[in-house]
Amino acid sequence: MLCAMLPLGAFAQDFSYLHVREASPEGKTLSVEDATFGRGVRPAAKYFTWEDDATLVCNEKDSLRHLPLSGAEWTSVRPSPSDRKPVLPRGAAGAVTVAGRTAYTMDGCIYVEEGGVSSLVIQGGDGIVCGETVSRNEFGINGGLFWSPDGSRLAFYRKDETRVTDFPLLDVKTRTGELLTIKYPMNGMASERITLGVYDLASRTTVWVHPDDFDKERYLTCVSWDPSSTHVFIQVLNRKQHRMHLNMYDASDGSFVKTLLSEENEAWVEPWEPLHFIDDATFLYSTDNRDGYKSLYVCDLNGGIRRLTDCAADVQFVAYADGYVYYTSAEVSPVENHLFRIRLRPARRGGLAKMRFDAPQRLTFDEGWHSVQFNETHTHFIDSWSAFNTPQVCALRRCDGTLVRELDRAADPLEGVATGEIRFGTVKSADGSFDNYFRLYLPVGFDPAQKYPVIVYVYGGPHSQMVQDRWLAGIRPLEMYWAQHGYVVYVQDNRGTSNRGTAFEKAINRACGQVEMQDQMAGIRELLKASWTDASRVGVHGWSYGGFMTISLMTNYPEVFKAGVAGGPVIDWKWYEVMYGERYMDTPATNPEGFEKTSLMNKTSDLKGKLLICQGAIDNTVVWEHSLSFTQKCIEEGVQLDYFPYPCSEHNVAGPWRVHLNQKIVSYFEDYL
């Protein structure tokens, strides 16, 4: 339903509405448990994946069914496994397998299993960790073991944490309590030092790659192999995250071969994607540092580079097969995700400069957010998608996008559930340069003649997109609960979040929270123009970066927010970790004005509304120093606030304890809003 069909007189005029779901006020009312676990309000979608190259598997209610590509009916008979499962000891982690060999880590050491026998590759210990993830999982790093394509060599990270300070977390489960010590590199302080080793299985020897670029606390990101297994590639990033070299190394001795290309940016450079080779000398490379968007480039080993995805939108590599590059793109809309492909036509002579790129082909056409899974030979893909008014649909398609069969179409779970109107639209950013997307949930039984309290749910930080053209714009069940209990609920993305290009994303540089607050307030002020909103009863809630935003909004705009709940909040970026914090804020030494402006330790006297802080006591992401320091400053200044720790929880309160958390949040707004 388009905005032209909406009763515009009842709403803020500067909002642009794209879709609406009409209210259905009669039906079931959710409990906090329902809202926590999504019982009866999430689409009962089936999960489809590939069992092997020619067999689909469906996971539904803990049962598995299988469907050969050539078959017509699903069966519970599982095909015979084509690969032997490795035999690993208890405690093994990070296992990766190629050519019948499995590498894994245990207690900071690396082992390789083959034929049921495990061999030690390298020993860790005493602050040295081998084969595990590094850089706190930034830069797309989610492991520390990298097999060569032929399985003859294994590249791996070696992390030296001996200079990194310890941070104590309290374990209350023992008789007298214990301290759990973690290595936590804080902004501006000593960080881990990373090297890359290459183990040769034939000679059982290890050589070390020692980049001499930049400082000793440089980052080694996006480790990649060439198809011949003779060279390894690293995107070497300086600690300040302003300069990057894509380097090539000889895997036989670790020696430097050459730098293929470089990136430099006064805001930041953020490598996140390994190289994808399309032949022995040509590869695909991703960066957002050249043309204003996350784009794909075709490169060669001589330093040649050409932009492949020439569109004003962020894209993400998916696959390369049979001359086609497959990728998802935001070019249809920043809140939609669609699959495209481009055919590469190499020239007989002239190399990369003469290669032709065909026009892009769009392969998914249903409006909404599409996630795709190709089979191994890239002849087919599973297309899972939803849109604002469409719960999840799964389809099997050929590689050219043609439909083979629809696998599942989820029913609307909100039939029989009491709902208010749900609206999806845009509002201008505070500087007028961008359209920010939002979702708005009106109370069940909405009467425009009445006034309703407002709850703003916020995250607002990098690498996030809270509002997308998926089912009901990505609504959370707790928002449904609030709407059933008489609240207007508002969720909006702002500058600094993902999928909108570098001008949008890097607007937060050296001043986290500032333009984000401006954009949030631009939307909130438009909302509060509506006669049915009660501007004297506005609440805000968020977790992690959203907790930082919650307290920032409450202290910078105390006249607007009556109550708030901040979970696991960043209070001062000098206490946050090196990799993430220095990217966006630099350091206290190089950006003292930015740290002074963004620190919430300077804002305690501006807190006027009722604030509840919740945090896991063993949070190893936003350590306890943040919220406890803010609380102590409030005590010293005579400022009242409420605090509730979760003694045995980490950064996120999970499982059945989350019911307790949500009840705490719900009760706080009931009491003070």
Side-chain angles (χ1 to χ4, degrees):
M1 188 177 298
L2 300 178
C3 57
M5 302 179 67
L6 303 179
L8 294 178
F11 297 88
Q13 295 297 305
D14 289 339
F15 279 168
S16 175
Y17 293 101
L18 306 176
H19 296 290
V20 64
R21 179 189 171 101
E22 295 180 355
S24 179
E26 302 298 327
K28 175 185 175 182
T29 299
L30 304 182
S31 67
V32 172
E33 289 83 358
D34 293 332
T36 300
F37 299 116
R39 294 172 183 158
V41 293
R42 290 199 177 110
K46 302 168 185 175
Y47 178 72
F48 295 88
T49 187
W50 293 99
E51 177 78 19
D52 54 37
D53 188 59
T55 309
L56 290 162
V57 61
C58 173
N59 190 331
E60 181 185 13
K61 296 179 180 179
D62 298 323
S63 65
L64 296 178
R65 295 184 297 133
H66 300 82
L67 177 70
L69 284 178
S70 59
E73 300 295 333
W74 291 88
T75 175
S76 59
V77 178
R78 183 173 184 171
S80 299
S82 56
D83 296 322
R84 175 191 61 84
K85 287 187 177 181
V87 180
L88 304 182
R90 185 183 299 274
V96 289
T97 301
V98 66
R101 295 166 172 166
T102 299
Y104 63 92
T105 65
M106 193 164 57
D107 300 325
C109 306
I110 302 174
Y111 299 83
V112 170
E113 184 273 349
E114 185 174 13
V117 178
S118 289
S119 302
L120 177 68
V121 169
I122 192 164
Q123 183 81 39
D126 295 327
I128 305 298
V129 179
C130 297
E132 297 183 6
T133 190
V134 299
S135 305
R136 294 183 64 84
N137 295 99
E138 294 294 325
F139 317 111
I141 298 170
N142 57 14
L145 299 169
F146 312 93
W147 279 113
S148 63
D150 65 3
S152 65
R153 293 184 170 116
L154 176 70
F156 60 89
Y157 282 130
R158 179 186 184 272
K159 176 170 60 176
D160 181 348
E161 296 183 297
T162 55
R163 297 170 184 83
V164 178
T165 54
D166 295 333
F167 192 91
L169 304 175
L170 178 60
D171 181 3
V172 300
K173 297 190 296 295
T174 63
R175 176 67 176 84
T176 58
E178 292 181 4
L179 291 180
L180 304 173
T181 301
I182 62 170
K183 291 290 186 179
Y184 194 90
M186 282 192 181
N187 191 310
M189 299 179 69
S191 188
E192 59 195 39
R193 296 186 178 187
I194 309 302
T195 52
L196 191 82
V198 179
Y199 177 74
D200 184 275
L201 272 75
S203 64
R204 296 189 177 184
T205 58
T206 296
V207 298
W208 296 97
V209 176
H210 289 288
D212 57 8
D213 315 66
F214 315 128
D215 44 87
K216 292 183 178 180
E217 293 178 353
R218 67 183 78 83
Y219 301 105
L220 306 184
T221 73
C222 307
V223 176
S224 311
W225 284 93
D226 65 358
S228 67
S229 300
T230 58
H231 292 92
V232 66
F233 300 78
I234 308 173
Q235 295 179 42
V236 184
L237 180 70
N238 73 334
R239 173 167 166 170
K240 293 181 179 180
Q241 301 184 48
H242 297 308
R243 298 172 62 199
M244 187 278 290
H245 294 164
L246 171 55
N247 289 345
M248 177 179 180
Y249 300 89
D250 189 325
S252 66
D253 59 9
S255 62
F256 171 77
V257 178
K258 58 182 171 180
T259 296
L260 300 181
L261 55 86
S262 300
E263 305 287 356
E264 188 167 350
N265 194 293
E266 291 183 359
W268 65 78
V269 176
E270 186 182 6
W272 72 91
E273 182 81 17
L275 310 183
H276 302 281
F277 276 83
I278 59 179
D279 59 37
D280 287 341
T282 314
F283 59 89
L284 298 169
Y285 165 70
S286 301
T287 184
D288 67 355
N289 196 48
R290 292 175 176 258
D291 295 287
Y293 294 92
K294 292 179 180 177
S295 301
L296 291 177
Y297 299 82
V298 183
C299 305
D300 62 28
L301 297 182
N302 297 316
I305 180 168
R306 289 178 57 192
R307 189 182 186 189
L308 176 65
T309 52
D310 189 9
C311 58
D314 287 351
V315 307
Q316 177 65 52
F317 173 83
V318 173
Y320 173 77
D322 299 324
Y324 286 97
V325 177
Y326 295 85
Y327 61 94
T328 54
S329 173
E331 63 199 78
V332 175
S333 165
V335 291
E336 294 188 49
N337 197 50
H338 287 279
L339 182 66
F340 290 77
R341 71 176 183 179
I342 296 176
R343 187 170 185 178
L344 307 184
R345 296 186 182 273
R348 291 185 178 180
R349 296 180 180 178
L352 177 60
K354 296 297 183 180
M355 181 183 290
R356 290 191 296 114
F357 305 155
D358 284 0
Q361 294 178 279
R362 182 177 171 183
L363 303 181
T364 55
F365 289 90
D366 294 292
E367 177 186 339
W369 193 274
H370 293 254
S371 299
V372 300
Q373 298 179 63
F374 274 91
N375 63 346
E376 185 176 351
T377 54
H378 302 97
T379 60
H380 295 77
F381 66 90
I382 300 168
D383 176 19
S384 300
W385 64 276
S386 69
F388 182 81
N389 283 310
T390 306
Q392 183 171 301
V393 179
C394 290
L396 175 64
R397 297 183 181 277
R398 298 180 184 88
C399 62
D400 62 0
T402 56
L403 179 67
V404 177
R405 63 190 296 177
E406 187 173 285
L407 300 172
D408 182 57
R409 184 175 289 267
D412 186 342
L414 297 186
E415 294 294 333
V417 176
T419 61
E421 288 186 350
I422 308 169
R423 301 184 179 273
F424 174 35
T426 63
V427 63
K428 285 294 182 183
S429 59
D431 66 352
S433 300
F434 301 95
D435 290 326
N436 286 329
Y437 289 83
F438 69 85
R439 62 177 180 263
L440 174 63
Y441 205 151
L442 301 184
V444 174
F446 174 73
D447 179 354
Q450 296 186 20
K451 285 186 176 290
Y452 297 92
V454 176
I455 294 178
V456 176
Y457 176 71
V458 63
Y459 182 77
H463 298 167
S464 70
Q465 192 177 12
M466 302 295 292
V467 183
Q468 298 170 333
D469 192 358
R470 59 175 78 232
W471 188 64
L472 301 183
I475 202 163
R476 301 158 63 246
L478 191 59
E479 296 167 37
M480 300 181 187
Y481 177 95
W482 281 330
Q484 288 183 335
H485 289 77
Y487 297 95
V488 172
V489 185
Y490 183 73
V491 183
Q492 178 199 300
D493 286 321
N494 48 248
R495 281 174 291 168
T497 56
S498 296
N499 215 30
R500 301 292 302 274
T502 55
F504 190 88
E505 185 174 0
K506 294 185 178 181
I508 69 171
N509 183 45
R510 293 167 60 90
C512 285
Q514 305 310 299
V515 299
E516 300 96 304
M517 283 192 290
Q518 294 169 21
D519 280 5
Q520 289 290 328
M521 290 307 303
I524 291 166
R525 285 179 173 136
E526 286 304 316
L527 176 61
L528 295 181
K529 291 178 182 178
S531 60
W532 36 263
T533 58
D534 187 343
S536 68
R537 292 191 294 161
V538 180
V540 58
H541 167 53
W543 201 275
S544 193
Y545 203 102
F548 165 67
M549 287 290 293
T550 293
I551 303 177
S552 296
L553 287 165
M554 290 192 70
T555 54
N556 282 275
Y557 303 94
E559 74 283 359
V560 175
F561 297 97
K562 184 179 181 182
V565 181
V570 173
I571 296 297
D572 192 311
W573 290 101
K574 72 172 177 286
W575 292 320
Y576 201 64
E577 48 96 334
V578 167
M579 300 80 186
Y580 184 103
E582 293 184 3
R583 179 185 311 136
Y584 303 118
M585 288 294 296
D586 292 344
T587 69
T590 59
N591 182 24
E593 299 85 0
F595 278 81
E596 179 74 13
K597 187 176 184 63
T598 60
S599 175
L600 297 177
M601 294 295 288
N602 301 327
K603 294 290 186 179
T604 50
S605 61
D606 297 320
L607 180 63
K608 307 302 180 186
K610 295 292 295 185
L611 173 63
L612 169 65
I613 295 178
C614 298
Q615 180 155 16
I618 54 173
D619 190 333
N620 57 7
T621 301
V622 181
V623 293
W624 222 2
E625 187 165 358
H626 288 267
S627 61
L628 290 183
S629 297
F630 184 83
T631 301
Q632 179 61 30
K633 185 73 177 298
C634 286
I635 293 168
E636 293 168 1
E637 296 189 351
V639 176
Q640 293 293 328
L641 82 161
D642 296 305
Y643 194 98
F644 196 94
Y646 283 83
C648 298
S649 291
E650 295 185 343
H651 188 50
N652 293 303
V653 180
W657 298 342
R658 196 164 185 84
V659 178
H660 188 283
L661 170 65
N662 283 340
Q663 183 62 64
K664 176 66 65 176
I665 297 168
V666 164
S667 297
Y668 203 77
F669 286 126
E670 288 175 348
D671 290 343
Y672 297 111
L673 199 60

